[in-house]
Amino acid sequence: MGKPMIAIDNVQPLSPESLFELLKTEFPAYVNEQLGSNLAVEFAHVADIVNISFPEIIDGNAYTITVGDNNIEIIDHTTDGTYNTELLEQHLMEFLTLKAG
């Protein structure tokens, strides 16, 4: 279940807490600007895991981000045919690469 995991080098390195704050404060505006939309984005943070969901368009958790010392791993929980998940994932990757790299 789910798509393959994607890893991004955590060059900064960002802690789970700092990534959570960055995502909460900057990612919704970033993704909505990229998509020309006004999606609600929700985040949950426990230990080294940050979950991202888009409750209006995707049921349940969309992405799980695990923050490690050397990299940030993203697991995609979206199913094909739900909204435009490829674009959401692309913008999430760009955002994380921008912030962690």
Side-chain angles (χ1 to χ4, degrees):
M1 188 164 117
K3 299 186 183 116
M5 187 179 61
I6 303 151
I8 295 172
D9 290 337
N10 192 5
V11 179
Q12 289 299 350
L14 291 170
S15 68
E17 293 75 19
S18 59
L19 179 63
F20 178 62
E21 285 303 314
L22 266 176
L23 284 165
K24 269 195 335 195
T25 56
E26 298 180 28
F27 183 67
Y30 176 85
V31 76
N32 281 314
E33 185 179 317
Q34 300 296 320
L35 297 173
S37 63
N38 191 20
L39 294 175
V41 188
E42 294 180 354
F43 305 95
H45 169 235
V46 180
D48 60 349
I49 307 267
V50 178
N51 287 323
I52 303 176
S53 56
F54 300 89
E56 298 164 325
I57 55 167
I58 299 168
D59 287 336
N61 185 26
Y63 301 98
T64 298
I65 301 173
T66 305
V67 183
D69 291 339
N70 300 316
N71 64 14
I72 296 171
E73 297 172 347
I74 305 164
I75 299 172
D76 181 350
H77 301 287
T78 63
T79 54
D80 290 333
T82 326
Y83 189 64
N84 195 340
T85 55
E86 290 80 19
L87 266 180
L88 286 175
E89 182 178 315
Q90 176 190 329
H91 295 311
L92 176 60
M93 296 283 301
E94 288 167 1
F95 181 83
L96 291 172
T97 303
L98 200 68
K99 299 299 178 182

